[in-house]
PDB file of all heavy atoms in Angstrom:
ATOM      1  N   GLU A   1       0.848  -1.233  -0.010  1.00  0.00           N
ATOM      2  CA  GLU A   1      -0.003  -0.008  -0.022  1.00  0.00           C
ATOM      3  C   GLU A   1       0.893   1.269  -0.018  1.00  0.00           C
ATOM      4  O   GLU A   1       1.798   1.364   0.820  1.00  0.00           O
ATOM      5  CB  GLU A   1      -0.901  -0.035   1.227  1.00  0.00           C
ATOM      6  CG  GLU A   1      -1.852   1.134   1.297  1.00  0.00           C
ATOM      7  CD  GLU A   1      -2.755   1.022   2.506  1.00  0.00           C
ATOM      8  OE1 GLU A   1      -3.696   0.231   2.452  1.00  0.00           O
ATOM      9  OE2 GLU A   1      -2.504   1.742   3.492  1.00  0.00           O
ATOM     10  N   PRO A   2       0.598   2.228  -0.887  1.00  0.00           N
ATOM     11  CA  PRO A   2       1.371   3.496  -0.889  1.00  0.00           C
ATOM     12  C   PRO A   2       1.317   4.172   0.411  1.00  0.00           C
ATOM     13  O   PRO A   2       0.316   4.175   1.164  1.00  0.00           O
ATOM     14  CB  PRO A   2       0.679   4.307  -1.982  1.00  0.00           C
ATOM     15  CG  PRO A   2      -0.093   3.316  -2.789  1.00  0.00           C
ATOM     16  CD  PRO A   2      -0.448   2.242  -1.872  1.00  0.00           C
ATOM     17  N   GLN A   3       2.425   4.746   0.797  1.00  0.00           N
ATOM     18  CA  GLN A   3       2.551   5.363   2.079  1.00  0.00           C
ATOM     19  C   GLN A   3       2.725   6.936   1.872  1.00  0.00           C
ATOM     20  O   GLN A   3       3.077   7.386   0.830  1.00  0.00           O
ATOM     21  CB  GLN A   3       3.822   4.935   2.800  1.00  0.00           C
ATOM     22  CG  GLN A   3       3.773   3.429   3.126  1.00  0.00           C
ATOM     23  CD  GLN A   3       2.682   3.022   4.061  1.00  0.00           C
ATOM     24  OE1 GLN A   3       2.422   3.664   5.035  1.00  0.00           O
ATOM     25  NE2 GLN A   3       1.990   1.954   3.632  1.00  0.00           N
ATOM     26  N   GLU A   4       2.310   7.688   2.863  1.00  0.00           N
ATOM     27  CA  GLU A   4       2.382   9.108   2.779  1.00  0.00           C
ATOM     28  C   GLU A   4       3.813   9.556   2.832  1.00  0.00           C
ATOM     29  O   GLU A   4       4.709   8.957   3.569  1.00  0.00           O
ATOM     30  CB  GLU A   4       1.669   9.800   3.931  1.00  0.00           C
ATOM     31  CG  GLU A   4       1.714  11.307   3.935  1.00  0.00           C
ATOM     32  CD  GLU A   4       0.839  11.959   4.970  1.00  0.00           C
ATOM     33  OE1 GLU A   4       0.347  11.225   5.852  1.00  0.00           O
ATOM     34  OE2 GLU A   4       0.704  13.199   4.889  1.00  0.00           O
ATOM     35  N   ARG A   5       4.133  10.579   2.036  1.00  0.00           N
ATOM     36  CA  ARG A   5       5.508  11.147   2.093  1.00  0.00           C
ATOM     37  C   ARG A   5       5.419  12.462   2.783  1.00  0.00           C
ATOM     38  O   ARG A   5       4.944  13.524   2.241  1.00  0.00           O
ATOM     39  CB  ARG A   5       5.986  11.383   0.619  1.00  0.00           C
ATOM     40  CG  ARG A   5       6.094  10.106  -0.185  1.00  0.00           C
ATOM     41  CD  ARG A   5       6.499  10.395  -1.575  1.00  0.00           C
ATOM     42  NE  ARG A   5       6.633   9.213  -2.350  1.00  0.00           N
ATOM     43  CZ  ARG A   5       7.005   9.175  -3.666  1.00  0.00           C
ATOM     44  NH1 ARG A   5       7.330  10.329  -4.272  1.00  0.00           N
ATOM     45  NH2 ARG A   5       7.183   8.065  -4.286  1.00  0.00           N
ATOM     46  N   PRO A   6       5.900  12.611   4.041  1.00  0.00           N
ATOM     47  CA  PRO A   6       5.824  13.811   4.813  1.00  0.00           C
ATOM     48  C   PRO A   6       6.306  15.059   4.117  1.00  0.00           C
ATOM     49  O   PRO A   6       5.808  16.114   4.322  1.00  0.00           O
ATOM     50  CB  PRO A   6       6.544  13.456   6.087  1.00  0.00           C
ATOM     51  CG  PRO A   6       6.532  11.979   6.172  1.00  0.00           C
ATOM     52  CD  PRO A   6       6.605  11.490   4.725  1.00  0.00           C
ATOM     53  N   ALA A   7       7.404  14.852   3.298  1.00  0.00           N
ATOM     54  CA  ALA A   7       8.025  16.042   2.712  1.00  0.00           C
ATOM     55  C   ALA A   7       7.462  16.344   1.297  1.00  0.00           C
ATOM     56  O   ALA A   7       7.795  17.344   0.744  1.00  0.00           O
ATOM     57  CB  ALA A   7       9.537  15.859   2.605  1.00  0.00           C
ATOM     58  N   GLY A   8       6.526  15.562   0.844  1.00  0.00           N
ATOM     59  CA  GLY A   8       6.035  15.719  -0.515  1.00  0.00           C
ATOM     60  C   GLY A   8       4.985  16.810  -0.641  1.00  0.00           C
ATOM     61  O   GLY A   8       4.378  17.270   0.333  1.00  0.00           O
ATOM     62  N   VAL A   9       4.817  17.291  -1.889  1.00  0.00           N
ATOM     63  CA  VAL A   9       3.767  18.297  -2.145  1.00  0.00           C
ATOM     64  C   VAL A   9       2.637  17.715  -2.952  1.00  0.00           C
ATOM     65  O   VAL A   9       2.760  16.640  -3.519  1.00  0.00           O
ATOM     66  CB  VAL A   9       4.401  19.503  -2.921  1.00  0.00           C
ATOM     67  CG1 VAL A   9       5.491  20.134  -2.101  1.00  0.00           C
ATOM     68  CG2 VAL A   9       4.908  19.042  -4.308  1.00  0.00           C
ATOM     69  N   ASP A  10       1.452  18.437  -2.925  1.00  0.00           N
ATOM     70  CA  ASP A  10       0.303  17.960  -3.637  1.00  0.00           C
ATOM     71  C   ASP A  10       0.281  18.319  -5.096  1.00  0.00           C
ATOM     72  O   ASP A  10      -0.105  17.515  -6.011  1.00  0.00           O
ATOM     73  CB  ASP A  10      -0.904  18.432  -2.945  1.00  0.00           C
ATOM     74  CG  ASP A  10      -1.109  17.868  -1.534  1.00  0.00           C
ATOM     75  OD1 ASP A  10      -1.078  16.668  -1.354  1.00  0.00           O
ATOM     76  OD2 ASP A  10      -1.152  18.696  -0.553  1.00  0.00           O
ATOM     77  N   VAL A  11       0.624  19.588  -5.362  1.00  0.00           N
ATOM     78  CA  VAL A  11       0.650  20.069  -6.766  1.00  0.00           C
ATOM     79  C   VAL A  11       1.879  21.010  -6.876  1.00  0.00           C
ATOM     80  O   VAL A  11       2.432  21.512  -5.878  1.00  0.00           O
ATOM     81  CB  VAL A  11      -0.595  20.798  -7.193  1.00  0.00           C
ATOM     82  CG1 VAL A  11      -1.780  19.852  -7.196  1.00  0.00           C
ATOM     83  CG2 VAL A  11      -0.927  21.986  -6.311  1.00  0.00           C
ATOM     84  N   LEU A  12       2.206  21.303  -8.106  1.00  0.00           N
ATOM     85  CA  LEU A  12       3.239  22.298  -8.429  1.00  0.00           C
ATOM     86  C   LEU A  12       2.601  23.522  -9.147  1.00  0.00           C
ATOM     87  O   LEU A  12       1.662  23.341  -9.850  1.00  0.00           O
ATOM     88  CB  LEU A  12       4.289  21.685  -9.356  1.00  0.00           C
ATOM     89  CG  LEU A  12       5.039  20.459  -8.835  1.00  0.00           C
ATOM     90  CD1 LEU A  12       5.927  19.960  -9.959  1.00  0.00           C
ATOM     91  CD2 LEU A  12       5.871  20.775  -7.614  1.00  0.00           C
ATOM     92  N   ILE A  13       3.123  24.696  -8.764  1.00  0.00           N
ATOM     93  CA  ILE A  13       2.670  25.952  -9.379  1.00  0.00           C
ATOM     94  C   ILE A  13       3.805  26.600 -10.088  1.00  0.00           C
ATOM     95  O   ILE A  13       4.931  26.846  -9.488  1.00  0.00           O
ATOM     96  CB  ILE A  13       2.095  26.929  -8.332  1.00  0.00           C
ATOM     97  CG1 ILE A  13       0.967  26.297  -7.594  1.00  0.00           C
ATOM     98  CG2 ILE A  13       1.677  28.268  -8.959  1.00  0.00           C
ATOM     99  CD1 ILE A  13      -0.249  26.055  -8.428  1.00  0.00           C
ATOM    100  N   CYS A  14       3.655  26.906 -11.368  1.00  0.00           N
ATOM    101  CA  CYS A  14       4.685  27.482 -12.178  1.00  0.00           C
ATOM    102  C   CYS A  14       4.127  28.299 -13.302  1.00  0.00           C
ATOM    103  O   CYS A  14       2.939  28.138 -13.675  1.00  0.00           O
ATOM    104  CB  CYS A  14       5.748  26.481 -12.609  1.00  0.00           C
ATOM    105  SG  CYS A  14       4.964  25.309 -13.753  1.00  0.00           S
ATOM    106  N   PRO A  15       4.905  29.125 -13.971  1.00  0.00           N
ATOM    107  CA  PRO A  15       4.353  29.861 -15.140  1.00  0.00           C
ATOM    108  C   PRO A  15       4.118  28.842 -16.293  1.00  0.00           C
ATOM    109  O   PRO A  15       4.748  27.728 -16.323  1.00  0.00           O
ATOM    110  CB  PRO A  15       5.501  30.833 -15.543  1.00  0.00           C
ATOM    111  CG  PRO A  15       6.334  30.950 -14.321  1.00  0.00           C
ATOM    112  CD  PRO A  15       6.225  29.624 -13.594  1.00  0.00           C
ATOM    113  N   THR A  16       3.226  29.210 -17.200  1.00  0.00           N
ATOM    114  CA  THR A  16       2.987  28.365 -18.380  1.00  0.00           C
ATOM    115  C   THR A  16       3.955  28.686 -19.453  1.00  0.00           C
ATOM    116  O   THR A  16       4.479  27.759 -20.178  1.00  0.00           O
ATOM    117  CB  THR A  16       1.505  28.556 -18.944  1.00  0.00           C
ATOM    118  OG1 THR A  16       0.607  28.334 -17.870  1.00  0.00           O
ATOM    119  CG2 THR A  16       1.239  27.558 -20.032  1.00  0.00           C
ATOM    120  N   ALA A  17       4.245  29.937 -19.722  1.00  0.00           N
ATOM    121  CA  ALA A  17       5.223  30.361 -20.730  1.00  0.00           C
ATOM    122  C   ALA A  17       6.181  31.416 -20.092  1.00  0.00           C
ATOM    123  O   ALA A  17       5.778  32.161 -19.147  1.00  0.00           O
ATOM    124  CB  ALA A  17       4.464  31.061 -21.898  1.00  0.00           C
ATOM    125  N   PRO A  18       7.421  31.456 -20.579  1.00  0.00           N
ATOM    126  CA  PRO A  18       8.344  32.384 -19.949  1.00  0.00           C
ATOM    127  C   PRO A  18       8.136  33.859 -20.260  1.00  0.00           C
ATOM    128  O   PRO A  18       8.679  34.718 -19.535  1.00  0.00           O
ATOM    129  CB  PRO A  18       9.737  31.896 -20.497  1.00  0.00           C
ATOM    130  CG  PRO A  18       9.350  31.200 -21.801  1.00  0.00           C
ATOM    131  CD  PRO A  18       7.981  30.634 -21.581  1.00  0.00           C
ATOM    132  N   THR A  19       7.402  34.167 -21.283  1.00  0.00           N
ATOM    133  CA  THR A  19       7.139  35.537 -21.711  1.00  0.00           C
ATOM    134  C   THR A  19       5.706  35.702 -22.122  1.00  0.00           C
ATOM    135  O   THR A  19       4.996  34.788 -22.384  1.00  0.00           O
ATOM    136  CB  THR A  19       8.012  35.860 -22.974  1.00  0.00           C
ATOM    137  OG1 THR A  19       7.679  35.085 -24.072  1.00  0.00           O
ATOM    138  CG2 THR A  19       9.534  35.660 -22.646  1.00  0.00           C
ATOM    139  N   PRO A  20       5.226  36.967 -22.203  1.00  0.00           N
ATOM    140  CA  PRO A  20       3.967  37.281 -22.802  1.00  0.00           C
ATOM    141  C   PRO A  20       3.987  36.904 -24.314  1.00  0.00           C
ATOM    142  O   PRO A  20       5.043  36.668 -24.855  1.00  0.00           O
ATOM    143  CB  PRO A  20       3.785  38.794 -22.591  1.00  0.00           C
ATOM    144  CG  PRO A  20       4.708  39.138 -21.531  1.00  0.00           C
ATOM    145  CD  PRO A  20       5.885  38.199 -21.646  1.00  0.00           C
ATOM    146  N   PRO A  21       2.816  36.836 -24.949  1.00  0.00           N
ATOM    147  CA  PRO A  21       2.828  36.433 -26.369  1.00  0.00           C
ATOM    148  C   PRO A  21       3.540  37.473 -27.292  1.00  0.00           C
ATOM    149  O   PRO A  21       3.372  38.677 -27.122  1.00  0.00           O
ATOM    150  CB  PRO A  21       1.362  36.428 -26.717  1.00  0.00           C
ATOM    151  CG  PRO A  21       0.621  37.197 -25.661  1.00  0.00           C
ATOM    152  CD  PRO A  21       1.441  37.028 -24.431  1.00  0.00           C
ATOM    153  N   PRO A  22       4.410  36.904 -28.109  1.00  0.00           N
ATOM    154  CA  PRO A  22       5.131  37.776 -29.098  1.00  0.00           C
ATOM    155  C   PRO A  22       4.226  38.197 -30.244  1.00  0.00           C
ATOM    156  O   PRO A  22       3.167  37.661 -30.407  1.00  0.00           O
ATOM    157  CB  PRO A  22       6.315  36.931 -29.569  1.00  0.00           C
ATOM    158  CG  PRO A  22       5.779  35.530 -29.436  1.00  0.00           C
ATOM    159  CD  PRO A  22       4.824  35.528 -28.269  1.00  0.00           C
ATOM    160  N   SER A  23       4.650  39.207 -30.966  1.00  0.00           N
ATOM    161  CA  SER A  23       3.924  39.619 -32.185  1.00  0.00           C
ATOM    162  C   SER A  23       4.081  38.562 -33.253  1.00  0.00           C
ATOM    163  O   SER A  23       5.073  37.903 -33.337  1.00  0.00           O
ATOM    164  CB  SER A  23       4.349  40.941 -32.679  1.00  0.00           C
ATOM    165  OG  SER A  23       5.645  40.888 -33.256  1.00  0.00           O
ATOM    166  N   ILE A  24       3.062  38.383 -34.092  1.00  0.00           N
ATOM    167  CA  ILE A  24       3.146  37.427 -35.236  1.00  0.00           C
ATOM    168  C   ILE A  24       4.274  37.883 -36.188  1.00  0.00           C
ATOM    169  O   ILE A  24       4.973  37.089 -36.701  1.00  0.00           O
ATOM    170  CB  ILE A  24       1.810  37.324 -35.918  1.00  0.00           C
ATOM    171  CG1 ILE A  24       0.821  36.537 -35.040  1.00  0.00           C
ATOM    172  CG2 ILE A  24       1.950  36.568 -37.283  1.00  0.00           C
ATOM    173  CD1 ILE A  24      -0.525  36.311 -35.692  1.00  0.00           C
TER     174      ILE A  24
END
């Protein structure tokens, strides 16, 4: 049976893209 990891996180939060959208 899987065990709890005390130091683990539930989800990660980060940017989707490194910059705003460039011009075409």
Side-chain angles (χ1 to χ4, degrees):
E1 183 177 284
Q3 300 297 316
E4 180 174 8
R5 299 176 178 183
V9 299
D10 295 304
V11 295
L12 302 173
I13 300 293
C14 62
T16 306
T19 65
S23 69
I24 289 181

